[in-house]
Amino acid sequence: MKTKIFLITSFIAILFCIGCDSSDKTADETNLSTNNQIAVDSKIDASIEDVSNIAEDQFSVKQSNTARSSETMHPFLPSCAIVTWTYANGTFTGTIDFGTEGCALTNGNVLKGKITLSFSGNFTTSEQMITYSFDEFYHNGIKIQGSRTITRTLKSTELLAEVHPVFTNSVDITVTFEDGSSYTRTGNRTKEMIDGNDWEDRVFLVTGSYTTSKSNGDTWSCTIQTPLRYEMACKKSIPVSGTVLKVNNGVETVIDYGTGECDNLANVTTNGVTTTIELKR
């Protein structure tokens, strides 16, 4: 009888241990998957942020140079980027060539290939359409494909009552990582310049929501809950503050970028458990 009781007790204990082991493993795998997806999103976000900055910079350059009849101003782009412009039928078309060897921005991100921009030469209107497309364009080794339009508007918003530049971008791009994995990003992104004149002291707030899909069918959504704050003085394509809600298969994760420090860290909270991760450019 004692032998039977011992065997039953041992069996229950083994099942309990297996259950705990399985539960812990599942939690670890979920956290790993979540962190990997956050890393992917961060790299895609960085490419979108840099392209947006390039588009705004070149629009500002053309706006200023048209007024001054000068072609020497390129405050955001590095010297290794070659810029050429044409003007026809009231439209500026520009090509920014970063070459094939790699051309680094001041934030350290390395670009290759070309971006083509076009917009109206009428700078007196409060709204402008900036169209861009890519030609063998790579951001830190990640290939970016797609063509989109940014709507640039001068207006007041809930984030800033003073009239300021607002960039609304309907995102639909495909990115291919060096390991061959491919992702599609779709969504809406609004970027507001709330402070600064020169690039070095400009501050932007970004809002919006988007979905990221991997070629294998994995899909997750992200919604910016608290505006993401980007400070050009930090020379990073990672926000210094703001929060994002990520949802994947019903599991909610909050990514908190901090309170203003110029670092690569983010606090990630899933199921009440918070960990700190370092984001790579």
Side-chain angles (χ1 to χ4, degrees):
M1 186 67 177
K2 288 182 179 180
T3 302
K4 288 183 179 180
I5 293 173
F6 174 76
L7 289 174
I8 292 171
T9 304
S10 299
F11 181 69
I12 292 173
I14 290 170
L15 286 178
F16 179 76
C17 290
I18 291 174
C20 290
D21 231 20
S22 175
S23 176
D24 290 344
K25 185 177 180 182
T26 300
D28 289 342
E29 288 175 346
T30 298
N31 290 337
L32 179 61
S33 175
T34 296
N35 289 347
N36 286 341
Q37 290 169 356
I38 291 171
V40 166
D41 274 335
S42 178
K43 292 178 180 180
I44 297 175
D45 290 342
S47 68
I48 293 173
E49 176 66 14
D50 282 342
V51 170
S52 173
N53 286 339
I54 290 167
E56 160 62 4
D57 166 68
Q58 289 305 291
F59 179 90
S60 297
V61 166
K62 225 47 187 163
Q63 186 179 40
S64 299
N65 287 346
T66 299
R68 300 175 186 176
S69 299
S70 171
E71 295 293 337
T72 59
M73 230 178 113
H74 300 292
F76 180 74
L77 292 178
S79 59
C80 52
I82 300 173
V83 184
T84 56
W85 286 98
T86 60
Y87 182 74
N89 301 319
T91 299
F92 281 110
T93 301
T95 299
I96 302 99
D97 189 348
F98 297 96
T100 58
E101 298 301 317
C103 180
L105 299 176
T106 56
N107 59 19
N109 292 329
V110 178
L111 311 184
K112 297 179 183 180
K114 300 176 183 178
I115 299 176
T116 297
L117 303 169
S118 65
F119 45 80
S120 170
N122 180 7
F123 298 108
T124 62
T125 61
S126 61
E127 183 173 293
Q128 284 272 1
M129 304 291 284
I130 306 172
T131 301
Y132 63 87
S133 60
F134 305 108
D135 181 7
E136 291 298 310
F137 179 73
Y138 292 81
H139 184 277
N140 291 334
I142 303 170
K143 187 172 185 178
I144 314 295
Q145 295 172 285
S147 59
R148 300 307 302 165
T149 298
I150 299 173
T151 302
R152 181 187 188 275
T153 311
L154 294 174
K155 62 181 181 180
S156 62
T157 67
E158 291 182 0
L159 297 179
L160 181 63
E162 180 183 344
V163 173
H164 59 287
V166 178
F167 307 88
T168 304
N169 188 3
S170 178
V171 180
D172 187 358
I173 61 172
T174 298
V175 303
T176 305
F177 283 68
E178 292 176 289
D179 63 1
S181 59
S182 178
Y183 299 82
T184 299
R185 165 71 64 83
T186 59
N188 297 290
R189 184 177 190 269
T190 300
K191 179 177 178 181
E192 304 187 25
M193 191 180 84
I194 62 166
D195 197 8
N197 293 309
D198 297 329
W199 270 105
E200 292 77 7
D201 59 10
R202 287 186 180 180
V203 177
F204 296 94
L205 292 180
V206 174
T207 55
S209 60
Y210 49 87
T211 298
T212 306
S213 302
K214 192 175 180 180
S215 53
N216 66 0
D218 290 346
T219 300
W220 58 93
S221 64
C222 290
T223 302
I224 299 174
Q225 291 185 314
T226 306
L228 302 180
R229 183 182 177 94
Y230 290 86
E231 297 185 2
M232 296 301 101
C234 288
K235 299 188 185 306
K236 293 181 182 292
S237 51
I238 297 172
V240 299
S241 64
T243 59
V244 175
L245 173 64
K246 174 181 174 295
V247 180
N248 181 26
N249 291 326
V251 178
E252 295 187 351
T253 297
V254 175
I255 304 110
D256 188 339
Y257 290 94
T259 58
E261 298 83 2
C262 292
D263 57 32
N264 297 340
L265 303 178
N267 292 322
V268 178
T269 303
T270 305
N271 295 325
V273 178
T274 300
T275 58
T276 299
I277 64 172
E278 182 177 3
L279 301 169
K280 307 293 183 180
R281 65 176 177 85

